[in-house]
Amino acid sequence: MWFLNQETGCTWEVTDQELILRLQASGHYEQVEEPKQEEAKQEAAQTKVQATKSMKRTEKEQVKEVQETAHE
């Protein structure tokens, strides 16, 4: 079964029956049809961009922490 995370927009294939039941009960996930190959490629590209943005933000936060520590 495929589930859409409504907060992130990512679609996941879930095969574990216990997890399927938990996701169906959750308000954050929606059961969807299997995505087409083109959609999956687009999602992978978007996820890669999101990961890069998160990584850059984290790196900036680390630099800021180091600078703050150096000033103390």
mmCIF file of all heavy atoms in Angstrom, residues 1-6 10-14 17 19-21 23-35:
data_model
loop_
_atom_site.group_PDB
_atom_site.id
_atom_site.type_symbol
_atom_site.label_atom_id
_atom_site.label_comp_id
_atom_site.label_asym_id
_atom_site.label_seq_id
_atom_site.Cartn_x
_atom_site.Cartn_y
_atom_site.Cartn_z
ATOM 1 N N MET A 1 0.845 -1.174 0.000
ATOM 2 C CA MET A 1 0.000 0.000 0.000
ATOM 3 C C MET A 1 0.894 1.243 0.000
ATOM 4 O O MET A 1 1.983 1.230 0.545
ATOM 5 C CB MET A 1 -0.891 0.036 1.237
ATOM 6 C CG MET A 1 -1.923 -1.024 1.290
ATOM 7 S SD MET A 1 -3.008 -0.689 2.690
ATOM 8 C CE MET A 1 -4.506 -1.273 1.994
ATOM 9 N N TRP A 2 0.377 2.298 -0.583
ATOM 10 C CA TRP A 2 1.099 3.557 -0.672
ATOM 11 C C TRP A 2 0.415 4.597 0.213
ATOM 12 O O TRP A 2 -0.802 4.679 0.263
ATOM 13 C CB TRP A 2 1.131 4.041 -2.117
ATOM 14 C CG TRP A 2 2.019 3.192 -2.960
ATOM 15 C CD1 TRP A 2 1.687 2.022 -3.574
ATOM 16 C CD2 TRP A 2 3.384 3.415 -3.260
ATOM 17 N NE1 TRP A 2 2.768 1.513 -4.239
ATOM 18 C CE2 TRP A 2 3.829 2.353 -4.076
ATOM 19 C CE3 TRP A 2 4.286 4.426 -2.937
ATOM 20 C CZ2 TRP A 2 5.121 2.266 -4.557
ATOM 21 C CZ3 TRP A 2 5.581 4.337 -3.418
ATOM 22 C CH2 TRP A 2 5.986 3.274 -4.211
ATOM 23 N N PHE A 3 1.242 5.383 0.902
ATOM 24 C CA PHE A 3 0.736 6.414 1.792
ATOM 25 C C PHE A 3 1.421 7.738 1.497
ATOM 26 O O PHE A 3 2.626 7.792 1.237
ATOM 27 C CB PHE A 3 0.976 6.042 3.267
ATOM 28 C CG PHE A 3 0.062 4.963 3.740
ATOM 29 C CD1 PHE A 3 0.411 3.631 3.613
ATOM 30 C CD2 PHE A 3 -1.164 5.265 4.310
ATOM 31 C CE1 PHE A 3 -0.437 2.618 4.035
ATOM 32 C CE2 PHE A 3 -2.015 4.263 4.740
ATOM 33 C CZ PHE A 3 -1.651 2.936 4.605
ATOM 34 N N LEU A 4 0.626 8.807 1.556
ATOM 35 C CA LEU A 4 1.127 10.156 1.369
ATOM 36 C C LEU A 4 1.249 10.817 2.728
ATOM 37 O O LEU A 4 0.268 10.872 3.487
ATOM 38 C CB LEU A 4 0.155 10.955 0.493
ATOM 39 C CG LEU A 4 0.391 12.457 0.398
ATOM 40 C CD1 LEU A 4 1.696 12.758 -0.336
ATOM 41 C CD2 LEU A 4 -0.782 13.137 -0.285
ATOM 42 N N ASN A 5 2.434 11.303 3.054
ATOM 43 C CA ASN A 5 2.626 12.078 4.268
ATOM 44 C C ASN A 5 2.140 13.484 3.947
ATOM 45 O O ASN A 5 2.725 14.181 3.129
ATOM 46 C CB ASN A 5 4.102 12.096 4.669
ATOM 47 C CG ASN A 5 4.345 12.859 5.942
ATOM 48 O OD1 ASN A 5 3.741 13.898 6.186
ATOM 49 N ND2 ASN A 5 5.255 12.369 6.758
ATOM 50 N N GLN A 6 1.061 13.900 4.568
ATOM 51 C CA GLN A 6 0.435 15.183 4.241
ATOM 52 C C GLN A 6 1.264 16.373 4.687
ATOM 53 O O GLN A 6 1.109 17.471 4.169
ATOM 54 C CB GLN A 6 -0.973 15.238 4.834
ATOM 55 C CG GLN A 6 -1.883 14.210 4.211
ATOM 56 C CD GLN A 6 -3.251 14.179 4.851
ATOM 57 O OE1 GLN A 6 -3.477 14.744 5.907
ATOM 58 N NE2 GLN A 6 -4.181 13.496 4.198
ATOM 59 N N CYS A 10 5.635 13.604 0.766
ATOM 60 C CA CYS A 10 6.333 12.403 0.297
ATOM 61 C C CYS A 10 5.380 11.211 0.288
ATOM 62 O O CYS A 10 4.543 11.071 1.171
ATOM 63 C CB CYS A 10 7.529 12.085 1.193
ATOM 64 S SG CYS A 10 8.822 13.315 1.089
ATOM 65 N N THR A 11 5.545 10.355 -0.708
ATOM 66 C CA THR A 11 4.729 9.153 -0.831
ATOM 67 C C THR A 11 5.612 7.944 -0.530
ATOM 68 O O THR A 11 6.730 7.846 -1.036
ATOM 69 C CB THR A 11 4.151 9.044 -2.257
ATOM 70 O OG1 THR A 11 3.424 10.235 -2.541
ATOM 71 C CG2 THR A 11 3.225 7.849 -2.380
ATOM 72 N N TRP A 12 5.089 7.026 0.277
ATOM 73 C CA TRP A 12 5.862 5.868 0.720
ATOM 74 C C TRP A 12 5.109 4.580 0.441
ATOM 75 O O TRP A 12 3.898 4.516 0.618
ATOM 76 C CB TRP A 12 6.109 5.944 2.233
ATOM 77 C CG TRP A 12 6.801 7.198 2.644
ATOM 78 C CD1 TRP A 12 6.214 8.345 3.076
ATOM 79 C CD2 TRP A 12 8.193 7.442 2.644
ATOM 80 N NE1 TRP A 12 7.159 9.285 3.357
ATOM 81 C CE2 TRP A 12 8.393 8.757 3.098
ATOM 82 C CE3 TRP A 12 9.304 6.680 2.310
ATOM 83 C CZ2 TRP A 12 9.658 9.328 3.217
ATOM 84 C CZ3 TRP A 12 10.557 7.262 2.441
ATOM 85 C CH2 TRP A 12 10.723 8.550 2.892
ATOM 86 N N GLU A 13 5.850 3.553 0.060
ATOM 87 C CA GLU A 13 5.259 2.230 -0.060
ATOM 88 C C GLU A 13 5.459 1.526 1.278
ATOM 89 O O GLU A 13 6.579 1.447 1.793
ATOM 90 C CB GLU A 13 5.915 1.415 -1.168
ATOM 91 C CG GLU A 13 5.281 0.042 -1.308
ATOM 92 C CD GLU A 13 5.895 -0.790 -2.424
ATOM 93 O OE1 GLU A 13 7.033 -0.514 -2.825
ATOM 94 O OE2 GLU A 13 5.217 -1.715 -2.881
ATOM 95 N N VAL A 14 4.374 1.023 1.844
ATOM 96 C CA VAL A 14 4.427 0.377 3.149
ATOM 97 C C VAL A 14 3.937 -1.054 2.981
ATOM 98 O O VAL A 14 2.862 -1.292 2.428
ATOM 99 C CB VAL A 14 3.552 1.125 4.181
ATOM 100 C CG1 VAL A 14 3.629 0.451 5.536
ATOM 101 C CG2 VAL A 14 3.970 2.584 4.269
ATOM 102 N N GLN A 17 2.174 -4.875 7.830
ATOM 103 C CA GLN A 17 0.749 -4.783 8.151
ATOM 104 C C GLN A 17 0.489 -3.938 9.393
ATOM 105 O O GLN A 17 -0.450 -3.140 9.420
ATOM 106 C CB GLN A 17 0.151 -6.191 8.327
ATOM 107 C CG GLN A 17 -1.351 -6.204 8.400
ATOM 108 C CD GLN A 17 -2.016 -5.693 7.119
ATOM 109 O OE1 GLN A 17 -1.512 -5.859 6.022
ATOM 110 N NE2 GLN A 17 -3.151 -5.049 7.261
ATOM 111 N N LEU A 19 2.300 -1.451 10.561
ATOM 112 C CA LEU A 19 2.525 -0.050 10.216
ATOM 113 C C LEU A 19 1.386 0.481 9.355
ATOM 114 O O LEU A 19 0.949 1.626 9.528
ATOM 115 C CB LEU A 19 3.860 0.117 9.490
ATOM 116 C CG LEU A 19 4.243 1.540 9.084
ATOM 117 C CD1 LEU A 19 4.226 2.486 10.277
ATOM 118 C CD2 LEU A 19 5.603 1.546 8.415
ATOM 119 N N ILE A 20 0.874 -0.323 8.445
ATOM 120 C CA ILE A 20 -0.264 0.082 7.611
ATOM 121 C C ILE A 20 -1.447 0.464 8.496
ATOM 122 O O ILE A 20 -2.081 1.503 8.288
ATOM 123 C CB ILE A 20 -0.655 -1.038 6.620
ATOM 124 C CG1 ILE A 20 0.411 -1.159 5.529
ATOM 125 C CG2 ILE A 20 -2.024 -0.780 6.006
ATOM 126 C CD1 ILE A 20 0.235 -2.364 4.614
ATOM 127 N N LEU A 21 -1.730 -0.335 9.499
ATOM 128 C CA LEU A 21 -2.848 -0.053 10.402
ATOM 129 C C LEU A 21 -2.632 1.253 11.160
ATOM 130 O O LEU A 21 -3.553 2.051 11.334
ATOM 131 C CB LEU A 21 -3.061 -1.214 11.369
ATOM 132 C CG LEU A 21 -3.529 -2.529 10.731
ATOM 133 C CD1 LEU A 21 -3.551 -3.642 11.765
ATOM 134 C CD2 LEU A 21 -4.884 -2.360 10.074
ATOM 135 N N LEU A 23 -0.760 3.827 10.192
ATOM 136 C CA LEU A 23 -0.844 4.960 9.273
ATOM 137 C C LEU A 23 -2.292 5.257 8.885
ATOM 138 O O LEU A 23 -2.676 6.416 8.734
ATOM 139 C CB LEU A 23 -0.001 4.704 8.021
ATOM 140 C CG LEU A 23 1.509 4.599 8.244
ATOM 141 C CD1 LEU A 23 2.219 4.307 6.936
ATOM 142 C CD2 LEU A 23 2.065 5.853 8.898
ATOM 143 N N GLN A 24 -3.088 4.199 8.724
ATOM 144 C CA GLN A 24 -4.498 4.398 8.394
ATOM 145 C C GLN A 24 -5.223 5.111 9.526
ATOM 146 O O GLN A 24 -6.134 5.889 9.290
ATOM 147 C CB GLN A 24 -5.168 3.056 8.094
ATOM 148 C CG GLN A 24 -4.768 2.474 6.755
ATOM 149 C CD GLN A 24 -5.320 1.080 6.531
ATOM 150 O OE1 GLN A 24 -5.587 0.332 7.475
ATOM 151 N NE2 GLN A 24 -5.467 0.706 5.263
ATOM 152 N N ALA A 25 -4.817 4.875 10.755
ATOM 153 C CA ALA A 25 -5.447 5.502 11.914
ATOM 154 C C ALA A 25 -4.933 6.928 12.139
ATOM 155 O O ALA A 25 -5.591 7.724 12.801
ATOM 156 C CB ALA A 25 -5.191 4.658 13.164
ATOM 157 N N SER A 26 -3.779 7.243 11.557
ATOM 158 C CA SER A 26 -3.173 8.557 11.744
ATOM 159 C C SER A 26 -3.847 9.594 10.851
ATOM 160 O O SER A 26 -4.242 9.312 9.730
ATOM 161 C CB SER A 26 -1.683 8.487 11.398
ATOM 162 O OG SER A 26 -1.123 9.779 11.373
ATOM 163 N N GLY A 27 -3.931 10.804 11.329
ATOM 164 C CA GLY A 27 -4.474 11.891 10.534
ATOM 165 C C GLY A 27 -3.441 12.549 9.634
ATOM 166 O O GLY A 27 -3.757 13.418 8.839
ATOM 167 N N HIS A 28 -2.171 12.129 9.755
ATOM 168 C CA HIS A 28 -1.092 12.745 8.983
ATOM 169 C C HIS A 28 -0.800 12.010 7.684
ATOM 170 O O HIS A 28 -0.011 12.495 6.870
ATOM 171 C CB HIS A 28 0.191 12.808 9.807
ATOM 172 C CG HIS A 28 0.057 13.641 11.041
ATOM 173 N ND1 HIS A 28 -0.045 15.008 11.010
ATOM 174 C CD2 HIS A 28 -0.027 13.290 12.345
ATOM 175 C CE1 HIS A 28 -0.172 15.471 12.234
ATOM 176 N NE2 HIS A 28 -0.169 14.453 13.071
ATOM 177 N N TYR A 29 -1.408 10.844 7.486
ATOM 178 C CA TYR A 29 -1.136 10.041 6.297
ATOM 179 C C TYR A 29 -2.435 9.732 5.569
ATOM 180 O O TYR A 29 -3.466 9.546 6.181
ATOM 181 C CB TYR A 29 -0.435 8.730 6.676
ATOM 182 C CG TYR A 29 0.949 8.956 7.218
ATOM 183 C CD1 TYR A 29 1.155 9.176 8.571
ATOM 184 C CD2 TYR A 29 2.051 8.969 6.371
ATOM 185 C CE1 TYR A 29 2.434 9.397 9.067
ATOM 186 C CE2 TYR A 29 3.318 9.193 6.858
ATOM 187 C CZ TYR A 29 3.504 9.409 8.210
ATOM 188 O OH TYR A 29 4.762 9.629 8.688
ATOM 189 N N GLU A 30 -2.323 9.661 4.251
ATOM 190 C CA GLU A 30 -3.476 9.369 3.417
ATOM 191 C C GLU A 30 -3.093 8.231 2.467
ATOM 192 O O GLU A 30 -2.033 8.266 1.843
ATOM 193 C CB GLU A 30 -3.828 10.619 2.611
ATOM 194 C CG GLU A 30 -4.914 10.424 1.598
ATOM 195 C CD GLU A 30 -5.133 11.685 0.764
ATOM 196 O OE1 GLU A 30 -4.598 12.747 1.108
ATOM 197 O OE2 GLU A 30 -5.831 11.566 -0.245
ATOM 198 N N GLN A 31 -3.937 7.225 2.376
ATOM 199 C CA GLN A 31 -3.677 6.116 1.465
ATOM 200 C C GLN A 31 -3.910 6.597 0.033
ATOM 201 O O GLN A 31 -4.919 7.239 -0.266
ATOM 202 C CB GLN A 31 -4.592 4.933 1.777
ATOM 203 C CG GLN A 31 -4.235 3.691 1.005
ATOM 204 C CD GLN A 31 -5.068 2.507 1.442
ATOM 205 O OE1 GLN A 31 -5.625 2.499 2.531
ATOM 206 N NE2 GLN A 31 -5.122 1.506 0.605
ATOM 207 N N VAL A 32 -2.950 6.327 -0.850
ATOM 208 C CA VAL A 32 -3.028 6.790 -2.239
ATOM 209 C C VAL A 32 -2.717 5.641 -3.189
ATOM 210 O O VAL A 32 -2.221 4.585 -2.783
ATOM 211 C CB VAL A 32 -2.051 7.968 -2.498
ATOM 212 C CG1 VAL A 32 -2.446 9.196 -1.709
ATOM 213 C CG2 VAL A 32 -0.625 7.565 -2.190
ATOM 214 N N GLU A 33 -2.987 5.865 -4.472
ATOM 215 C CA GLU A 33 -2.653 4.887 -5.503
ATOM 216 C C GLU A 33 -1.139 4.876 -5.707
ATOM 217 O O GLU A 33 -0.454 5.857 -5.422
ATOM 218 C CB GLU A 33 -3.330 5.255 -6.819
ATOM 219 C CG GLU A 33 -4.845 5.209 -6.756
ATOM 220 C CD GLU A 33 -5.378 3.803 -6.535
ATOM 221 O OE1 GLU A 33 -4.859 2.865 -7.158
ATOM 222 O OE2 GLU A 33 -6.311 3.647 -5.729
ATOM 223 N N GLU A 34 -0.625 3.779 -6.242
ATOM 224 C CA GLU A 34 0.802 3.678 -6.527
ATOM 225 C C GLU A 34 1.213 4.767 -7.513
ATOM 226 O O GLU A 34 0.567 4.967 -8.537
ATOM 227 C CB GLU A 34 1.118 2.306 -7.115
ATOM 228 C CG GLU A 34 2.577 2.106 -7.419
ATOM 229 C CD GLU A 34 2.878 0.700 -7.905
ATOM 230 O OE1 GLU A 34 1.981 -0.153 -7.899
ATOM 231 O OE2 GLU A 34 4.018 0.464 -8.311
ATOM 232 N N PRO A 35 2.279 5.538 -7.173
ATOM 233 C CA PRO A 35 2.692 6.617 -8.072
ATOM 234 C C PRO A 35 3.299 6.055 -9.362
ATOM 235 O O PRO A 35 3.857 4.948 -9.374
ATOM 236 C CB PRO A 35 3.744 7.379 -7.264
ATOM 237 C CG PRO A 35 4.230 6.410 -6.260
ATOM 238 C CD PRO A 35 3.102 5.460 -5.980
#
